[in-house]
Amino acid sequence: MSDFQVSPELLAIYLEDARQHLESLDHCLLTLEREGPDSETVATVLGPLHTLKGNSGMIGFTAIKDYVHRLEDVFSRVRDGGLPLGPEAFDRLFAGATALRDAIEQASRDGAEARDLGPERIDLERMAASASLAAAAGAGEPGEGAEALAAAEASGLSPSPAGRAERRQDARYTAKSSVVRVEFAQLDHLLNLVGELIIHRTKLQDLAKSMTGDHAEREISRDLRAAVQQVAGVSQQLQETVMDVRMLPIRHVFERFPRLVRDLARDTGKEIELILEGESTRIDKAIIDEIGEPLVHLVRNSADHGIEPPAVRVTNGKTPTGTILLSATQESNHVVITIMDDGAGIDVGTVRRKAVERGLLKPDEAISDRDVVQLIFSQGFSTRESITEVSGRTYAIPLSSVVESLKLRKEEIHTVAGREALRIRDRIVPLVRLSQLFDLPETEGAGVREYAVIIGRGDKRVGVVVNRLRGQQEVVIKALDPAVSGAAMGMAGATIMGDGRVVLILDVAALFDGKRLAGVQGRLTAAQEA
């Protein structure tokens, strides 16, 4: 960070501008991956990258500036035909774009760079070195390219695809903005309306003064009514124009979904095409900020629950590629947003069976299929027999309580006083399995890994056994509904991730109290039997 203090206002402007340039980067990558190499497509992103590089340097974010400069160099090589892009290259570039977005969001929030872009920068250097190596080999001069590639390999900083995936943050899909860009024509119209309003206000003031003069009362009354009508007309126009300034094309919401669907398709092993319609439909900026997360959740459900795997679709006489339609239409004074997919649809029989199991329906209760389908909107309702990464739950632990985390081996787990425990550096640490505590399905089979997150409270230690570590992330803690809140349920609160998933935050104090742990399990059992 440079030695001058960057104002919050300047950071906000930088962030808003950077988000638009990052959208251009995502759009370029999606187009290249879908349609193949095209110099014109690459040219559309070089300008935004150049601007982002300059803005980052001006604001003092030198590491971001350096990374964008290297990214700019890679795209220049792609444009000139010196760097072909294959599936692995696209994965690296998409992961790099995500890391860049995270770095910019965090730096803009904190006023200083914190996100390390070193591994992603090495990825770009390796890609450029590979291109140099290929060019040198073609020219019969193998030295320079090979040395560059060897230097990049020797660094050891290039992350694995799994590592890059674990660092991916879903917040990129739902970033909110406090800035609204306004066209000059709208501002000019606003200024003209304000000028007219001032003129008519002055006329009203003069009329008020003349009420004590020698003018006839009837003439003054007529002029007053005319002035009031003029003020009313200008005020109405002013109100409509101000409201129009708040309106933005819903494109600002929709443009985040092509990247989301692309990532979901790769995560689930499916082929999915996203169709966007009505992107020019205008909607209030405040609503745009509010509908982002719900739409992300619905689109994820379509990809996870709706669209079938390619082999299943072909067996059912469908094309291997599924389709998700996201559209917006203006109906009277409402905007109707529709999400449709050509997947398997909702299995009414399964919904009815699950509703009976949960006590939402009686076995012999006769209601229409349409009403049965509405039950899927009940809190916590799911027809999944097993939880997937896309549709399932994860848990969060306050970082201040985490001492360390380690991989578990079965032979390291001992039984002490009827309870599982782990020996760590001559210390016995009792274990708590979240799967048993919350009655979750166990993951079994060869190759299944388990981890212990060691929690500390004073000089006490407890190991929380989980089947996956997702990394750390800043979150906003939200209070739970009174029906499920309280330490007896083992939860201190919840948070909403960028993709719309709800993540429960564990009550650390309960993990150290045997009675409270028993209370969690007792209430859970009672809730299931009710």
Side-chain angles (χ1 to χ4, degrees), residues 25-34 67 71 75 86-101 120 124 127 164 168 172 258-260 262-263 266:
L25 174 59
D26 273 351
H27 179 73
C28 174
L29 288 172
L30 288 166
T31 302
L32 291 175
E33 186 179 45
R34 181 176 62 250
Y67 179 79
L71 189 61
F75 275 102
E88 183 180 356
F90 276 115
D91 285 345
R92 290 185 176 186
L93 288 173
F94 274 115
T98 298
L100 176 60
R101 187 184 299 270
E120 289 78 14
L124 294 183
M127 294 176 68
R164 287 191 294 269
R168 188 171 67 238
R172 65 183 179 271
R259 171 69 191 277
L260 170 62
R262 183 261 181 197
D263 290 345
R266 295 184 68 84

Side-chain angles (χ1 to χ4, degrees), residues 106 134 339 360 374 517 520:
Q106 187 170 353
I339 298 178
L360 299 176
Q374 296 302 310
L517 281 178
V520 172

Side-chain angles (χ1 to χ4, degrees), residues 88-128:
E88 183 180 356
F90 276 115
D91 285 345
R92 290 185 176 186
L93 288 173
F94 274 115
T98 298
L100 176 60
R101 187 184 299 270
D102 292 342
I104 289 175
E105 293 281 347
Q106 187 170 353
S108 300
R109 181 179 63 250
D110 300 338
E113 295 179 286
R115 171 67 157 86
D116 179 22
L117 289 171
E120 289 78 14
R121 177 176 57 80
I122 294 298
D123 266 355
L124 294 183
E125 290 176 352
R126 291 184 61 185
M127 294 176 68

Side-chain angles (χ1 to χ4, degrees), residues 23 172-175 248-260 274 276 279 281 283-296 299 326 328 337:
E23 292 293 347
R172 65 183 179 271
Y173 303 127
T174 54
L248 293 175
I250 203 167
R251 170 179 71 250
H252 291 272
V253 179
F254 284 6
E255 63 190 5
R256 69 190 66 170
F257 290 106
R259 171 69 191 277
L260 170 62
L274 175 66
L276 302 177
E279 296 175 86
T281 304
I283 191 170
D284 191 277
K285 173 65 168 60
I287 298 177
I288 281 182
D289 286 341
E290 294 299 324
I291 65 174
E293 290 185 7
L295 286 182
V296 166
V299 170
L326 182 57
I337 300 176

Side-chain angles (χ1 to χ4, degrees), residues 182-196:
V182 182
E183 296 181 357
F184 280 112
Q186 290 178 308
L187 289 177
D188 289 341
H189 186 48
L190 274 175
L191 290 175
N192 289 335
L193 288 175
V194 171
E196 290 186 33

